[in-house]
Amino acid sequence: MNNKAGSFLWNLRQFSTLVPTSRTMRLYPLGLCKPKIVHSNWNILNNFHNRMRSTDIFRYLFQDAFILKSDVGFQTKGISTVTALRIDRPLYAKRLFFDSKHSLVSVDKSNDGLKKVNFHHEVSSEDVLTKETKPNRISSRKLSEECNSLSDVLDTFTKAPTFPSSNYFTAMWTIAKRLSDDQKRFERRLMFSHPAFNQLCEHMMREAKIMQYKYLLFSLYAIVKLGIPQNTLLVQTLLRVTQERINECDERCLSVLSSVLEAMEPCKNVHVLQMGFRILVDQQVWKIEDVFTLQVVMKCIGKDAPIALKRKLEMKALRELDRFSVLNSQRMFEVLAAMNHRSLTLLNECSKVVLDNIHGCPSKIIINILQSCKDLQYHNLGLFNGLAEYVAATFDIWKLKKVLFILILFENLGFRPVGLMDLFMKRIVEDPESLNMKNILSILHTYSSLNHVYECQNKEQFLEVMASALTGYLHAVSSGNLLDAVYSFCLMNYFPLAPLNQLLQKDIISELLTSDDMKKNVHKLHILDTCLKLDDTVYLKDIALSLPQLPRELPLSHPNTKVAEVLSSLLGGEGHFSKDVHLPHNYHIDFEIRVDTNRNQVLPFSDVDTASATDIQRVAVLCVSRSAYCLGSSHPRGFLAVKMRHLNAMGFHVILVNNWEMDKLEMEDAITFLKTKIYSVEALPVAAVNLQST
């Protein structure tokens, strides 16, 4: 045993004579060398290859000579110095082998009391061989080009591991991106079962603190995207090291770190990293030069970020507006939606750029813009008209599914693209075979919500095609979907018999009244029942549904007092109109006025009882909000259109008063406006004389 130890020390003395230069390193209390100081030239070390097979000896050497544990007396006041090799990359166990015939290490004490370790080695004929057999460092790009699967990358790692290990993970993710979903799942299983996978993970954890920060982020992103569970020691270790080294983050690393945070699921370490990321962005926001990096950071900052940080990023983006490319302007909508920040200045300026460069705009970008406008509640009529006109102009090259998705987004925004919806109806009539159940429900909901078919020339043909398509799916449709489809038909004043008969079966009604969406179903069934009784449905008028009673339709929480004042001034007191009137079928109107059949004279409610019902015209005044109309028009949306239709069926003349317009009018203008709505054209001069006398 003593002979082996002596041989080991002699070998180390001989090895130190080959080291051309030496350098003093700072060793910190954790025992980790400063990453930039540790380098290696493996031409010197590889001549020991295959001489010593014991990894235990290397671990002893690695710990005592480089980590410098405190029990050997190498630390003085938390800092020690040691003569170390100049190496190009970090030393790790896979690289060092020693011949058992030789020994290391001689330790000398210098005058200042600190210990220095000197390595010695005798030049042998094997040095030339090791130089020739030394593996070359390989980049992740080259790996991804040479390998066809994840297992091929791991096989390459097994043959000759190189630093940094992040290259292998990055290469595997690059290869995985080229595979289909089924291939990814298969390759992932092979990766986890590969014998070298655990070894690669161990190397990655050992190198995390010494590799360049950008490689650490690249590897963490690749590991997450490869599907390695986030609660594993590997991922959590890399997260912690990323937190500790976050001050090394430059502008490029900010972009990569943003992608990492976006790809990861919430957990404690991710939350801590997110907080550190926000602090770092707050400090470096004015130093960011690349617009793409700025947008990536803004998108990742989170909806719950402090409003001060959001505004700072907004100001930075406004400063860079002149440098925005077309793609930057298109992406800005999605970026602002991701951080939940509604910057009207940015949105308006980017809208102009989008419209000026609309030709050739991909469908994905248009969909993202509309979805972002919905999330931000940004209603730009010019932008919506421009997008709709572009899709209509290039309609022949669009797939039905993409156009339908755009129409759904327009419906969510309350916008009715007339030309585009007409073209879509025409295609449905020409190609009904392209419809599936999901498309049928979406089309019916969109067209009924926007009340589009009311004025269309091919209304009947379109509704017949949709009803026929729905009838073909009656054997497989659920009760909820059937109710949604029939409800949409009823809003459009169309009643297909086959779907209605199936919906009105007792078992279907019972299922709807006991489902989780009972309240919503009861509301739709009540409207359906009202349509059957009031609309032109001779065949179905005798059908009676036994439904739970709905609560009465509530009036506005803040009734329009200005309209009441105008009516009182115009009609000569509150005795000539009634407020908050509840009607059958759960309808409510804000004001009711009664006039003669020619609408020449308003009748006081005290005189109505003695008058014949045939001599009275009931007038319903509805105070409506902006959301009751399609965006930028006076076209009523679905529910308001149905209510007006049913009030007409009950004998009312309906007057719509726009709340936002009435609030802007002076009293005299408001009186004139309502006077023209209440009285007929022939009666207006007489009404003006009566108004002056009052």
Side-chain angles (χ1 to χ4, degrees):
M1 187 67 182
N2 292 334
N3 292 336
K4 291 183 179 181
S7 177
F8 186 73
L9 294 173
W10 179 88
N11 183 36
L12 185 59
R13 284 194 300 270
Q14 297 299 318
F15 175 75
S16 63
T17 62
L18 294 179
V19 181
T21 57
S22 63
R23 186 171 179 177
T24 300
M25 292 185 300
R26 291 175 61 88
L27 293 182
Y28 292 83
L30 290 178
L32 295 172
C33 301
K34 202 75 170 177
K36 294 181 180 179
I37 299 177
V38 182
H39 300 284
S40 167
N41 186 343
W42 290 112
N43 292 332
I44 298 176
L45 294 181
N46 277 332
N47 54 18
F48 286 107
H49 187 64
N50 292 328
R51 289 190 180 184
M52 178 172 284
R53 303 296 181 185
S54 173
T55 57
D56 292 334
I57 294 178
F58 168 72
R59 291 192 188 100
Y60 173 83
L61 169 64
F62 189 87
Q63 292 176 358
D64 287 357
F66 290 92
I67 298 182
L68 300 181
K69 297 169 63 176
S70 59
D71 56 0
V72 296
F74 278 33
Q75 293 187 359
T76 301
K77 295 183 181 180
I79 300 177
S80 299
T81 58
V82 57
T83 301
L85 304 176
R86 294 180 59 87
I87 52 180
D88 293 331
R89 62 196 122 189
L91 297 176
Y92 55 102
K94 195 70 183 175
R95 278 301 181 190
L96 290 179
F97 299 92
F98 296 89
D99 191 340
S100 59
K101 294 181 180 180
H102 298 280
S103 62
L104 55 97
V105 54
S106 64
V107 180
D108 298 327
K109 184 176 290 187
S110 60
N111 295 333
D112 58 359
L114 297 180
K115 294 187 176 181
K116 295 184 180 179
V117 182
N118 297 320
F119 292 86
H120 305 276
H121 177 64
E122 185 177 287
V123 178
S124 69
S125 61
E126 296 181 4
D127 289 343
V128 178
L129 294 176
T130 55
K131 290 181 181 179
E132 294 176 356
T133 59
K134 170 200 166 186
N136 295 323
R137 179 173 177 175
I138 187 169
S139 66
S140 59
R141 176 179 296 182
K142 187 175 181 181
L143 270 173
S144 61
E145 292 173 352
E146 294 179 351
C147 300
N148 297 319
S149 67
L150 309 187
S151 298
D152 290 346
V153 177
L154 292 173
D155 292 339
T156 304
F157 168 77
T158 304
K159 295 175 184 177
T162 60
F163 178 84
S165 299
S166 60
N167 287 338
Y168 298 97
F169 284 110
T170 305
M172 285 193 289
W173 168 235
T174 304
I175 294 172
K177 287 190 292 185
R178 302 196 294 254
L179 305 177
S180 65
D181 292 339
D182 292 337
Q183 289 176 321
K184 283 180 184 178
R185 285 190 289 269
F186 178 72
E187 286 291 335
R188 191 179 292 119
R189 287 197 296 269
L190 293 180
M191 178 187 72
F192 287 137
S193 61
H194 197 284
F197 179 69
N198 287 338
Q199 187 180 11
L200 177 59
C201 293
E202 291 174 2
H203 280 226
M204 187 66 233
M205 287 189 289
R206 283 201 301 267
E207 297 170 6
K209 290 194 174 185
I210 56 177
M211 68 172 55
Q212 293 184 35
Y213 193 65
K214 62 179 180 180
Y215 292 138
L216 174 63
L217 295 177
F218 287 148
S219 59
L220 179 56
Y221 180 77
I223 286 168
V224 173
K225 300 299 286 186
L226 282 170
I228 298 176
Q230 195 168 305
N231 59 352
T232 55
L233 178 61
L234 172 64
V235 177
Q236 295 300 317
T237 300
L238 297 185
L239 272 175
R240 292 296 298 273
V241 177
T242 304
Q243 296 169 21
E244 295 170 2
R245 300 178 57 188
I246 196 169
N247 286 333
E248 301 176 32
C249 197
D250 56 14
E251 183 173 330
R252 183 185 181 188
C253 291
L254 272 178
S255 178
V256 182
L257 182 55
S258 301
S259 301
V260 169
L261 289 171
E262 190 175 359
M264 301 196 73
E265 299 176 358
C267 72
K268 186 176 180 180
N269 277 331
V270 171
H271 177 71
V272 173
L273 185 58
Q274 176 82 31
M275 295 301 103
F277 173 75
R278 289 177 181 175
I279 295 173
L280 189 67
V281 170
D282 187 62
Q283 295 173 348
Q284 298 187 8
V285 59
W286 305 115
K287 300 178 182 178
I288 298 176
E289 297 181 358
D290 184 63
V291 176
F292 177 79
T293 300
L294 175 63
Q295 290 186 325
V296 171
V297 169
M298 292 175 69
K299 187 177 179 181
C300 179
I301 204 66
K303 294 184 178 181
D304 58 340
I307 188 65
L309 179 56
K310 292 182 180 180
R311 288 175 178 169
K312 185 180 288 189
L313 289 167
E314 176 190 1
M315 292 301 298
K316 174 64 176 178
L318 289 173
R319 288 187 180 184
E320 303 294 334
L321 264 178
D322 294 339
R323 298 176 53 218
F324 272 28
S325 65
V326 176
L327 182 60
N328 292 142
S329 299
Q330 293 169 343
R331 293 186 71 249
M332 202 67 225
F333 293 86
E334 185 180 1
V335 168
L336 291 173
M339 62 188 296
N340 192 27
H341 187 65
R342 188 168 175 261
S343 172
L344 291 178
T345 306
L346 273 175
L347 291 170
N348 291 337
E349 292 299 321
C350 292
S351 296
K352 296 176 184 177
V353 177
V354 169
L355 290 177
D356 291 341
N357 300 272
I358 189 63
H359 296 288
C361 185
S363 59
K364 182 179 179 181
I365 291 180
I366 293 178
I367 290 171
N368 286 339
I369 289 174
L370 293 176
Q371 182 64 51
S372 301
C373 290
K374 172 183 172 292
D375 296 339
L376 293 170
Q377 297 182 354
Y378 175 67
H379 299 96
N380 187 328
L381 188 60
L383 175 65
F384 299 161
N385 276 323
L387 294 177
E389 290 172 1
Y390 170 71
V391 177
T394 57
F395 187 79
D396 293 336
I397 66 175
W398 286 73
K399 293 183 179 179
L400 179 74
K401 182 179 179 181
K402 293 290 181 65
V403 179
L404 177 57
F405 194 46
I406 289 175
L407 289 178
I408 292 172
L409 291 172
F410 276 137
E411 186 274 329
N412 292 334
L413 292 162
F415 176 68
R416 176 174 167 250
V418 178
L420 181 59
M421 295 185 79
D422 288 342
L423 286 173
F424 189 80
M425 288 176 63
K426 183 179 179 181
R427 177 179 289 190
I428 293 300
V429 172
E430 294 173 351
D431 186 20
E433 301 299 327
S434 61
L435 296 175
N436 56 36
M437 190 63 215
K438 186 177 180 181
N439 290 346
I440 292 171
L441 292 173
S442 299
I443 293 170
L444 290 174
H445 171 74
T446 301
Y447 278 78
S448 62
S449 175
L450 295 175
N451 187 30
H452 182 70
V453 299
Y454 181 72
E455 300 172 347
C456 295
Q457 296 179 353
N458 58 343
K459 166 186 174 181
E460 293 298 329
Q461 191 178 7
F462 169 74
L463 292 174
E464 288 174 3
V465 168
M466 295 301 299
S468 176
L470 176 62
T471 303
Y473 286 96
L474 288 180
H475 64 284
V477 66
S478 65
S479 58
N481 287 340
L482 180 60
L483 174 60
D484 291 339
V486 174
Y487 171 77
S488 297
F489 274 120
C490 291
L491 292 184
M492 293 183 286
N493 200 18
Y494 188 79
F495 305 92
L497 294 181
L500 262 173
N501 288 331
Q502 179 167 325
L503 175 64
L504 296 176
Q505 294 177 8
K506 290 184 178 180
D507 56 337
I508 300 293
I509 297 295
S510 176
E511 183 179 348
L512 291 171
L513 295 180
T514 56
S515 67
D516 295 336
D517 296 327
M518 185 194 70
K519 291 184 179 180
K520 182 180 70 173
N521 293 340
V522 169
H523 174 72
K524 291 183 177 181
L525 287 170
H526 269 282
I527 294 179
L528 171 62
D529 184 50
T530 303
C531 291
L532 295 177
K533 292 176 180 178
L534 297 179
D535 289 326
D536 246 349
T537 55
V538 179
Y539 176 77
L540 299 167
K541 277 189 181 295
D542 295 333
I543 296 176
L545 296 177
S546 179
L547 301 173
Q549 187 64 34
L550 278 176
R552 286 188 172 185
E553 184 182 352
L554 297 176
L556 294 173
S557 56
H558 301 286
N560 200 320
T561 56
K562 185 172 183 177
V563 176
E565 293 176 4
V566 172
L567 288 175
S568 180
S569 300
L570 175 63
L571 304 178
E574 295 186 359
H576 291 78
F577 64 93
S578 180
K579 293 187 292 187
D580 298 334
V581 181
H582 292 277
L583 302 174
H585 308 294
N586 202 49
Y587 280 129
H588 162 269
I589 58 178
D590 298 290
F591 302 96
E592 180 185 353
I593 304 170
R594 299 186 181 183
V595 298
D596 63 318
T597 53
N598 295 324
R599 291 168 54 202
N600 293 329
Q601 183 180 3
V602 175
L603 302 176
F605 275 73
S606 58
D607 298 340
V608 170
D609 298 333
T610 60
S612 173
T614 57
D615 298 332
I616 299 174
Q617 171 69 63
R618 303 176 74 183
V619 178
V621 179
L622 303 180
C623 300
V624 295
S625 62
R626 197 187 298 266
S627 61
Y629 298 100
C630 293
L631 183 66
S633 71
S634 59
H635 185 80
R637 297 193 65 174
F639 183 73
L640 178 59
V642 171
K643 185 174 181 178
M644 293 171 62
R645 190 172 76 225
H646 289 168
L647 289 175
N648 290 332
M650 288 188 283
F652 282 92
H653 170 69
V654 180
I655 296 175
L656 299 180
V657 177
N658 301 332
N659 290 328
W660 73 95
E661 291 181 350
M662 183 59 67
D663 292 338
K664 296 178 182 178
L665 295 176
E666 299 292 338
M667 182 61 69
E668 292 182 2
D669 296 331
I671 291 174
T672 303
F673 170 78
L674 283 179
K675 182 177 62 177
T676 58
K677 294 288 186 179
I678 295 172
Y679 296 103
S680 62
V681 177
E682 296 79 6
L684 282 177
V686 179
V689 173
N690 295 336
L691 180 61
Q692 290 176 1
S693 64
T694 57

